[in-house]
Amino acid sequence: MEVVIVPDAKAGGELIADAMAQLLRRKPDALLGVATGSTPLPIYQALAAQVRSGAVDTSRARVAQLDEYVGLPADHPESYRSVLRREVLEPLGIPAESFMGPDGAAEDVQAACEAYDRQLAEAGGVDLQLLGIGTDGHIGFNEPCSSLVSRTRIKTLTERTRTDNARFFDGDVEQVPHHVITQGIGTILEARHLVLLATGEGKADAIAATVEGPLAAVCPASALQLHPHATVVVDEAAAARLKHADYFRHTFANKPDWQGI
């Protein structure tokens, strides 16, 4: 696992956007796994700026959804399908037919989960998966004590996560669905490159457990320790609990430029 400490969220977004742009230059139809929430917005904004400048072409890129609320119609403004259309597809000029995601409004949710897992495999797998991290160490909606080999499935959200997400529902936790479809940890680990971005002091404990703690289901993000190409990008605040921060700074400052992240 590579840990990169950056000054702030903007720098982290630009670094990751550069990696995505390099991937798209090598493989214009790359399948990008995308996440929602406020943390990845600097990534999408930086990549969109590169598209506008002509530095990268995203017209052939494909996009895969990490998770989705259960029970919200696809056109609900806070369904993740709608959020990703506004924040990723439209700014990057990616056509709707290049988007894939689970059907959170399906009558048979289990069948929808299994169908999405198959769809990802049939598409050739995710080339680069963006991840955020919850204050409790969850990735996607794999809450603490999720199986480290889990597949796409329905999960019940903790009250902590529902409270964290209430800001997207006018501050009303009662509007936040209780269930989601999420790629499982085993599904996530099949992506060729995992890139996790975390910013703010509130994520510092979770990042320390992910990077320097034991591999344990109680911290789902610690599963990144098993991946052959996992990159954790954190700002100074999120890096505040890392015991080996100086080492991480040194190794990144001295790596060859051609390696990227």
Side-chain angles (χ1 to χ4, degrees):
M1 182 189 300
E2 180 179 30
V3 180
V4 182
I5 301 173
V6 294
D8 51 35
K10 183 175 183 293
E14 291 172 349
L15 178 70
I16 297 169
D18 283 345
M20 296 173 74
Q22 291 172 18
L23 168 63
L24 289 166
R25 293 185 193 106
R26 296 193 307 270
K27 185 178 182 181
D29 64 345
L31 181 54
L32 306 175
V34 293
T36 53
S38 56
T39 299
L41 288 178
I43 303 171
Y44 306 141
Q45 292 163 357
L47 188 58
Q50 292 202 35
V51 172
R52 291 193 299 270
S53 72
V56 65
D57 180 5
T58 55
S59 62
R60 292 174 56 194
R62 298 170 296 153
V63 172
Q65 193 172 351
L66 181 61
D67 41 39
E68 181 59 276
Y69 286 117
V70 170
L72 291 186
D75 60 355
H76 187 285
E78 292 307 324
S79 77
Y80 286 154
R81 187 173 295 254
S82 292
V83 171
L84 291 171
R85 184 184 66 249
R86 295 192 303 268
E87 296 179 352
V88 180
L89 299 184
E90 293 176 356
L92 298 181
I94 298 174
E97 56 267 26
S98 297
F99 175 84
M100 60 185 73
D103 182 1
E107 289 188 13
D108 188 338
V109 177
Q110 181 58 35
C113 295
E114 294 170 0
Y116 187 47
D117 238 33
R118 288 195 302 271
Q119 185 182 20
L120 291 172
E122 291 166 0
V126 176
D127 291 293
L128 186 153
Q129 177 66 59
L130 296 176
L131 297 167
I133 186 170
T135 54
D136 58 3
H138 75 253
I139 51 174
F141 276 115
N142 296 285
E143 300 283 14
C145 298
S146 291
S147 166
L148 299 184
V149 295
S150 54
R151 309 302 303 178
T152 301
R153 67 212 190 285
I154 186 171
K155 288 290 289 182
T156 301
L157 298 181
T158 66
E159 286 308 297
R160 182 174 183 177
T161 298
R162 291 183 70 234
T163 299
D164 286 347
N165 285 7
R167 66 188 188 280
F168 301 113
F169 292 82
D170 300 320
D172 182 4
V173 70
E174 295 305 317
Q175 293 185 43
V176 182
H178 284 271
H179 298 97
V180 290
I181 292 174
T182 184
Q183 287 187 36
I185 296 173
T187 308
I188 290 169
L189 290 176
E190 290 177 352
R192 295 175 183 87
H193 185 190
L194 300 179
V195 182
L196 186 153
L197 176 63
T199 57
E201 186 179 0
K203 301 296 177 69
D205 287 333
I207 287 297
T210 295
V211 173
E212 298 177 338
L215 174 66
V218 72
C219 179
S222 67
L224 270 66
Q225 296 176 24
L226 297 171
H227 199 276
H229 190 189
T231 307
V232 176
V233 180
V234 291
D235 68 0
E236 292 289 350
R241 306 283 194 277
L242 291 174
K243 296 178 181 178
H244 296 88
D246 288 342
Y247 169 72
F248 299 138
R249 292 189 183 95
H250 175 78
T251 54
F252 184 69
N254 289 279
K255 72 182 296 189
D257 290 341
W258 56 264
Q259 281 191 312
I261 62 170

